[in-house]
Amino acid sequence: MREPGEGDMGMRARGLLNLRAVLAPVAAGMCVMATAAAVLVPALGGVSGEAGRGRGGAAAPAVTHRAYGSGAAPAVAKCTARNAAESLRPSSEDGPAVSRIQEKGQLVVGVDQNTYRWGYRDPVTGELAGFDIDLALAVAEDILGPHPKVVFKAVPTSQRIPALQKRTVDLVVRTMTINCARKEQVAFSTAYFQGGQQVLAPKASKIAAFDDSLRGERVCTAAGSTGESELSAQPHGAKVLTVPNQLDCLVRLQLGEADAVVTDNALAAAQAAQDPAVELKGRPFTDEPYGVAVNKGDTDLVRRVNKVLDDYRGDGGADSPWMRAYRKWLQADLPGISGPPSPEYSD
């Protein structure tokens, strides 16, 4: 039976993937989680640092959590590839957006429910779990206090920005890359993870990388993703297929309906962990800093999230919350990362 918000690819995924994490359907209701009461509701949409260090750099010094009045943002330089990851400095002040969340008594977060290690439903506990889920819970606890109420909404890749613009969610924590095009529509926190676009294909495939070995091949990517943008700019002779959610690409690959996938290497590594017949090809060919996305008008919420991220990174040492989450969720598939990306600020 098809569950609410589940497409055909998602239905077949449940029967095809040999997962440690069988991705269960969306169910409205209460889930008792480690630190919060969380409600998962039907999916939205349908088909449709001073100096950055990247991965493994030295931790940034602690930042003072200053007050910024009503949360208004200062004038900033025009967004370019060099400064795209800059965000507003942290503040613990309760501005209009933070107060609105506190008055509601709940934080509504757009998340993924289909990406192993990042945001997925644990088949044993029935709870949402992953690196992004842990971060969302940390934000909720900072704003609402111990045992906060969190409403998780499953948001397809292409619906992340509309969900924020329509205020159907307060935040999106869903492996969302910070870039200038998106910053024209929504606001971002500082980067909490650094990835890069890469090709995923069967181990036996002759596809070698994001290059002309893709010519004539069917390459799948999620609509509204950075992968779609890169393929539009430089398809390398490939036939591009788009789907609502990145997991659908893995299903198409398994069904023989696609020959390769272009996605963030962090997501591709998780998919390779689910299916031993596929592997990452070549090297990452872009820089993909992930940020928490917020409605563009909610500058006080951006500052509050950055305050949480500052605390979450800690000193970048082994006992910091970020490193604990990395070891728990990502290290097995993405080894060798020694710390979080340093924050970059525009003010």
Side-chain angles (χ1 to χ4, degrees):
M1 182 177 72
R2 180 176 299 180
E3 300 293 341
E6 181 180 36
D8 292 337
M9 288 296 99
M11 290 179 68
R12 285 187 281 180
R14 289 189 284 125
L16 284 165
L17 298 178
N18 179 19
L19 304 180
R20 287 169 281 169
V22 178
L23 305 174
V26 183
M30 296 298 293
C31 309
V32 179
M33 304 191 78
T35 60
V39 183
L40 181 66
V41 301
L44 296 176
V47 178
S48 357
E50 294 299 328
R53 76 171 169 205
R55 301 194 311 192
V63 177
T64 302
H65 302 147
R66 297 182 286 174
Y68 284 85
S70 64
V76 296
K78 181 179 179 181
C79 184
T80 67
R82 292 179 63 87
N83 67 10
E86 292 180 354
S87 184
L88 302 175
R89 287 192 177 273
S91 175
S92 57
E93 184 175 272
D94 295 343
V98 173
S99 296
R100 186 175 65 244
I101 292 164
Q102 292 169 337
E103 288 169 6
K104 289 189 302 181
Q106 65 182 28
L107 181 70
V108 184
V109 187
V111 297
D112 196 354
Q113 62 166 348
N114 293 326
T115 300
Y116 187 47
R117 305 290 197 189
W118 291 90
Y120 73 104
R121 187 173 283 281
D122 189 302
V124 177
T125 66
E127 299 172 358
L128 278 175
F131 192 89
D132 280 347
I133 304 302
D134 281 2
L135 178 55
L137 291 172
V139 174
E141 188 167 290
D142 185 86
I143 294 175
L144 296 171
H147 312 295
K149 182 179 180 181
V150 185
V151 178
F152 288 120
K153 289 194 175 184
V155 184
T157 304
S158 60
Q159 294 300 307
R160 294 176 297 189
I161 289 174
L164 287 165
Q165 292 176 326
K166 296 174 183 177
R167 295 193 184 277
T168 17
V169 297
D170 299 311
L171 307 170
V172 167
V173 189
R174 195 187 181 284
T175 58
M176 190 169 178
T177 300
I178 306 166
N179 61 40
C180 292
R182 289 174 176 167
K183 289 182 80 170
E184 292 180 359
Q185 303 174 80
V186 297
F188 281 97
S189 71
T190 54
Y192 66 86
F193 191 84
Q194 182 73 34
Q197 292 289 304
Q198 198 165 351
V199 175
L200 181 76
K203 290 180 177 178
S205 171
K206 294 180 180 179
I207 293 171
F210 189 72
D211 57 21
D212 286 348
S213 65
L214 295 175
R215 185 171 301 279
E217 306 289 356
R218 299 161 299 173
V219 181
C220 185
T221 193
S225 68
T226 310
E228 183 185 26
S229 299
E230 292 296 327
L231 283 164
S232 295
Q234 196 172 13
H236 290 292
K239 178 181 178 182
V240 180
L241 312 173
T242 58
V243 294
N245 286 299
Q246 197 61 51
L247 180 67
D248 293 344
C249 282
L250 179 59
V251 178
R252 286 184 180 267
L253 202 62
Q254 293 170 323
L255 291 172
E257 297 175 359
D259 303 304
V261 176
V262 170
T263 187
D264 298 358
N265 62 340
L267 306 185
Q271 292 179 4
Q274 294 171 309
D275 186 345
V278 301
E279 66 181 3
L280 290 163
K281 301 284 188 175
R283 293 181 175 274
F285 56 91
T286 64
D287 290 324
E288 305 289 331
Y290 296 166
V292 177
V294 179
N295 183 284
K296 200 167 184 178
D298 293 344
T299 52
D300 64 301
L301 184 55
V302 176
R303 294 190 188 279
R304 187 62 168 263
V305 172
N306 283 340
K307 179 259 184 188
V308 176
L309 285 173
D310 188 42
D311 296 338
Y312 206 67
R313 295 183 192 96
D315 61 0
D319 292 329
S320 68
W322 193 98
M323 284 302 297
R324 292 198 299 269
Y326 164 71
R327 288 194 300 271
K328 180 179 180 180
W329 298 113
L330 307 179
Q331 188 174 39
D333 304 318
L334 287 168
I337 299 175
S338 61
S342 295
E344 300 177 45
Y345 299 114
S346 59
D347 60 344

